[in-house]
């Protein structure tokens, strides 16, 4: 069983569209959408959800008004300004409450409260799903608004995908990772067999590619680079590929710009199943290159 992770240095490079086409080309893979903060692979693959589960990734503090004596220990110790004076009416003495959005779940207030007046309980940070698509099983998730611990949720999604691959004897997991270099990206790539970085020929694309390439090198994971929409600026595209070569990265290929990609998205279809135009052939060539490197 091998894991292929598709990531990008910045959003909007076309990563998820390429993942959908890779899924169509593979036909027998397990799919994992690890871009849990802004998951959208389901918009193309229209999965049928078979199982929905809560994700409990942390804890949150809440003051029990009846126990609070107003000593103020919690507001003195909180580093996140989550504790505030209570606005409850008709109170005879000072009381405090915790803003659940500002609370980081560190537990310091609950630990040091002399009256043990603070509950520190598990919180549901999001949901994860087991689904089926026309190209195989899919594990995906959705973080709640302003929730934390996306790295933990990514790890959960990957582990579930591995379990399905083992049980169904599928030899490939295709992971749609997050853009950037944060916790969800690190959780997506750690221990993977190959990373495919999708970038675009812009200054921001070039800059952010270098950051994510450094991240991949830090974890010593084989990495290839794909330049999407390369013909929008061929000079920068060539510069990106030249820099990738200097870094010891392999070039997976280039994909031209085509408005047909947007039409495929609207039709909830992968590009390679929606059209036979050259853009689809570009993606297939990139897929074959990635697959050959993955199977070395």
């Amino acid at each position: 069983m091998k894991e292929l992770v598709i990531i990008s240095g910045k959003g909007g490079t076309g990563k998820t569209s390429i993942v959908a086409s890779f899924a169509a080309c593979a036909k027998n893979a397990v799919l994992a959408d690890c871009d849990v903060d802004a998951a959208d692979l389901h918009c193309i693959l229209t999965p049928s959800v078979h199982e929905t589960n809560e994700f409990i990734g942390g804890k949150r503090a809440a003051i029990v008004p009846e126990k609070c004596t107003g000593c103020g220990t919690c507001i003195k110790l909180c580093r996140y300004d989550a504790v505030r004076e209570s606005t409850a009416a008709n109170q005879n003495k000072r009381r405090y409450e915790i803003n659940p959005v500002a609370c980081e779940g560190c537990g310091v207030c609950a630990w040091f409260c002399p009256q043990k007046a603070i509950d520190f309980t598990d919180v549901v940070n999001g949901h994860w799903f087991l689904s089926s698509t026309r190209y195989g099983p899919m594990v995906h998730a959705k973080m709640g608004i302003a929730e934390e611990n996306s790295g933990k949720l990514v790890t959960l999604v990957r582990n579930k995908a591995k379990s399905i691959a083992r049980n169904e004897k599928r030899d490939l997991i295709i992971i749609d990772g997050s853009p950037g270099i944060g916790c969800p990206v690190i959780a997506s790539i750690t221990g993977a067999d190959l990373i495919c970085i999708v970038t675009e020929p812009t200054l921001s694309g070039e800059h952010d590619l270098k950051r994510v390439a450094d991240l991949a090198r830090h974890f010593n994971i084989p990495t290839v680079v794909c330049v999407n929409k390369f013909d929008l600026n061929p000079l920068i595209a060539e510069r990106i590929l030249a820099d990738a070569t200097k870094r010891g990265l392999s070039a997976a290929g280039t994909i031209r710009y085509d408005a047909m990609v947007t039409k495929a998205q609207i039709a909830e279809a992968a590009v390679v199943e929606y059209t036979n135009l050259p853009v689809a052939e570009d993606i297939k060539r990139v897929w074959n290159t990635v697959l050959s490197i993955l199977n070395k």
Side-chain angles (χ1 to χ4, degrees), residues 4-8 14-16 18-19 22 173-179 188-189 194-198 287 290:
L4 168 64
V5 188
I6 295 85
I7 58 176
S8 59
K15 168 180 59 67
T16 297
I18 292 173
V19 170
F22 280 6
I173 300 172
I174 300 176
I175 297 172
D176 185 3
S178 302
S188 296
I189 68 175
L194 182 66
I195 294 171
C196 178
I197 303 175
V198 178
W287 164 250
V290 169

Side-chain angles (χ1 to χ4, degrees), residues 10-51:
K10 61 178 289 294
T13 62
K15 168 180 59 67
T16 297
S17 292
I18 292 173
V19 170
S21 285
F22 280 6
C25 292
K27 297 179 181 178
N28 193 40
V30 177
L31 310 175
D33 191 347
C34 290
D35 189 1
V36 297
D37 291 296
D40 55 6
L41 185 58
H42 64 279
C43 295
I44 301 176
L45 298 185
T46 57
S48 297
V49 178
H50 302 302
E51 187 177 321

Side-chain angles (χ1 to χ4, degrees), residues 213-284:
D214 288 342
L215 180 69
R217 182 177 59 188
H218 174 79
F219 287 99
N220 196 29
I221 303 172
T223 303
V224 299
V225 175
C226 168
V227 183
N228 191 26
K229 300 172 279 189
F230 79 96
D231 48 342
L232 295 182
N233 195 323
L235 290 178
I236 293 183
E238 291 177 9
R239 196 164 68 202
I240 287 173
L241 293 175
D243 182 68
T245 300
K246 290 180 182 178
R247 291 170 173 268
L249 307 178
S250 300
T254 58
I255 300 170
R256 72 197 69 202
Y257 174 80
D258 195 318
M260 195 61 68
V261 175
T262 302
K263 293 181 180 179
Q265 291 174 333
I266 294 171
E268 299 180 335
V271 176
V272 297
E273 68 178 338
Y274 185 75
T275 180
N276 291 321
L277 289 176
V279 64
E281 295 305 315
D282 290 345
I283 296 174
K284 291 176 183 177

